[in-house]
Amino acid sequence: MNATPSSTDHRDHTYGTDHAYGTATDRTEPADREGRTVHLDTAGWGTMPAAVRALVADCASREDRYGPHELEEDLEDVLRTEVHERLGALLGVPAADTAVVTDAAGAFDALVSRLAPGRGERIWTTPYESAARLTALYALRDRTRCTVEVVPLREDGDLDLEWMARHIGDDVALVSVVHVPSGCGIVNPVEEIGQILAPYRCVYAVDASYSAGQLPVDAGRIGCQLLTGDGWRFLRGPYAAGFAFLAPRLRAAFEDAAAHRPLPPNAAVAGLNAALAHHTATTAADGPAGLAGQGLLPALRAAVEECPGTELIAPGRVQSAILAFRHRDLPAALVRRRLAARGVVVWKTVAQETPLHLPRSGATTALRASLGPDTTPQDIARFGRALREVVREETAGAQRPRPARTLPPAPTPTPVLASAPAPVPPAGPRPRPSARRHLTLCPTP
């Protein structure tokens, strides 16, 4: 075994609070705003603060040099205590009731796989749920013969809370609600739902992947027994590090399932801890109103509405820092690529991601723009200009008449002598083509 480095050159406080995050004054703005990429996909991948990125790189370097066990020993306080304290403070719950996971969908699946509702008991979900959570719920239905019911929507797109209050009962075993969906910016009333469900025995599970970091998320006020989230979106941590809150009665079942699943890398957990510290510091400096409350969402919405041919996909009365839209005539993939060529990054979302919602809006694909803590009014203005340019150029190109296609002259046939013998195929079996057009599935012996 390699010798352990001394504390002076190795075991310092670089993983703790002092090095874990930068303050609000660390965020410098380039002089040339047009020269930088406008990142409007924080919902898909939040850009890590410089201090967080440096910490993750340093952890990876130390692991490569000293090995994973040495890094885990160095990060013991972070892995065992500090990250859970920060998660508890973020979610308004005891630190002991939090867990670090690779991703929210995996944590939800791990718990659902251990639930055992009775035959005919009901599972509630919403039209805004992700495909991953719906897959876990349908697997639970097929395994236990429970039923899955979708909470209806009001005309304005909000969940029908009156329907929930009328139909709730002790035969409802699980209720799964996404706080903010991936495909649109609606904010579902998770606290009001928690009040409706509180007197009943059901497990209340909330997906906070797209709300944690951009909106206040308090699992204690929500009243849920399971809350999951990803750390690399609005919290801007590294990939493959998420989190969960579990009520004490669910912990044993969750830990039994999680024991058979991969753990997040130690460097990613250290990065999540640093991102949580950075989020706490910047929230204290900028206020807890959330990204949608910083005045940029109306400007983003106006930039889309002012572009000819665009349509918003924004159901509900309360919106977050996510805005989905589409163009009536142009494919979403084309618009996304043309915007990227102009230095503006947005996301293309497809119906399969929220299969119960997006098809209802008449769209199979759409574009999603999401704000970040570093988004500025200049970024929104540049996005608006780029979107109008793309639409103008592409629609003009589609309307421009195409030149008539001229076919080349037919080649003159080569005469064949009557005395020439016909080619004789070689003896033996015919050679098989090198490329197979179909894949044959062979049964496993």
Side-chain angles (χ1 to χ4, degrees):
M1 180 176 178
N2 294 335
T4 303
S6 66
S7 59
T8 56
D9 63 350
H10 189 194
R11 302 183 184 212
D12 50 28
H13 297 287
T14 57
Y15 303 109
T17 304
D18 293 339
H19 184 74
Y21 60 89
T23 63
T25 57
D26 295 330
R27 295 176 291 174
T28 57
E29 299 292 344
D32 183 9
R33 301 290 306 180
E34 293 289 327
R36 77 162 194 164
T37 298
V38 175
H39 186 79
L40 294 178
D41 187 27
T42 307
W45 184 280
T47 55
M48 283 189 287
V52 178
R53 189 183 308 111
L55 175 62
V56 174
D58 180 59
C59 287
S61 175
R62 290 175 183 270
E63 184 175 43
D64 180 66
R65 181 178 180 184
Y66 301 108
H69 300 294
E70 188 73 19
L71 179 65
E72 184 175 3
E73 184 177 341
D74 287 342
L75 295 174
E76 182 175 4
D77 289 341
V78 170
L79 302 178
R80 304 287 183 266
T81 304
E82 194 169 313
V83 69
H84 296 284
E85 291 176 347
R86 296 193 191 285
L87 286 172
L90 175 75
L91 304 177
V93 296
D97 294 338
T98 64
V100 179
V101 298
T102 55
D103 61 278
F108 179 75
D109 181 71
L111 180 67
V112 168
S113 68
R114 290 299 190 271
L115 297 180
R119 179 187 289 267
E121 288 191 331
R122 294 182 290 159
I123 306 298
W124 279 2
T125 187
T126 79
Y128 298 115
E129 300 301 296
S130 67
R133 287 173 78 97
L134 290 174
T135 299
L137 294 178
Y138 293 153
L140 177 65
R141 177 198 62 188
D142 296 342
R143 175 170 57 86
T144 64
R145 301 305 178 192
C146 64
T147 62
V148 176
E149 298 177 353
V150 180
V151 176
L153 301 179
R154 299 169 9 139
E155 290 185 2
D156 58 9
D158 282 338
L159 295 173
D160 192 338
L161 301 187
E162 294 181 359
W163 181 94
M164 298 182 74
R166 290 196 308 269
H167 291 84
I168 185 62
D170 282 334
D171 61 337
V172 177
L174 171 66
V175 177
S176 173
V177 177
V178 58
H179 193 183
V180 175
S182 65
C184 64
I186 186 174
V187 180
N188 286 319
V190 291
E191 293 187 12
E192 289 85 344
I193 293 173
Q195 294 172 4
I196 294 173
L197 303 179
Y200 299 90
R201 57 178 280 269
C202 61
V203 172
Y204 180 25
V206 173
D207 180 7
S209 296
Y210 294 87
S211 58
Q214 67 142 324
L215 296 171
V217 176
D218 191 321
R221 292 175 57 111
I222 293 171
C224 57
Q225 289 75 51
L226 174 68
L227 185 142
T228 56
D230 297 325
W232 59 87
R233 304 187 193 279
F234 289 96
L235 286 172
R236 301 199 295 162
Y239 185 72
F243 55 89
F245 154 72
L246 299 115
R249 67 186 177 102
L250 301 179
R251 176 163 291 278
F254 177 82
E255 290 178 348
D256 180 61
H260 305 284
R261 295 171 181 263
L263 297 174
N266 291 329
V269 178
L272 174 62
N273 179 66
L276 291 169
H278 185 278
H279 173 73
T280 300
T282 54
T283 300
D286 300 337
L291 295 175
Q294 295 180 3
L296 294 180
L297 183 61
L300 181 65
R301 189 179 183 119
V304 173
E305 291 178 317
E306 292 170 1
C307 183
T310 55
E311 299 174 343
L312 293 176
I313 303 175
R317 292 170 294 177
V318 181
Q319 296 294 312
S320 65
I322 298 175
L323 185 67
F325 64 97
R326 64 175 177 170
H327 192 274
R328 289 192 298 266
D329 303 318
L330 300 178
L334 174 66
V335 177
R336 187 200 65 80
R337 290 196 302 269
R338 296 295 184 264
L339 287 174
R342 288 167 168 78
V344 178
V345 178
V346 297
W347 180 258
K348 185 194 81 170
T349 182
V350 297
Q352 292 88 336
E353 294 177 0
T354 50
L356 300 182
H357 162 62
L358 196 57
R360 290 186 179 186
S361 67
T364 56
T365 61
L367 294 161
R368 184 189 70 197
S370 49
L371 305 171
D374 294 330
T375 307
T376 66
Q378 292 80 7
D379 292 334
I380 304 300
R382 184 175 163 194
F383 159 73
R385 291 195 301 270
L387 181 62
R388 291 190 297 271
E389 291 172 3
V390 168
V391 169
R392 182 173 61 251
E393 292 178 5
E394 295 300 327
T395 53
Q399 297 171 358
R400 189 180 303 117
R402 296 182 178 180
R405 182 181 178 186
T406 304
L407 297 178
T412 303
T414 303
V416 179
L417 298 178
S419 59
V424 179
R430 297 179 60 183
R432 301 174 69 91
S434 59
R436 299 178 63 182
R437 298 180 59 189
H438 302 282
L439 176 65
T440 303
L441 298 179
C442 299
T444 303

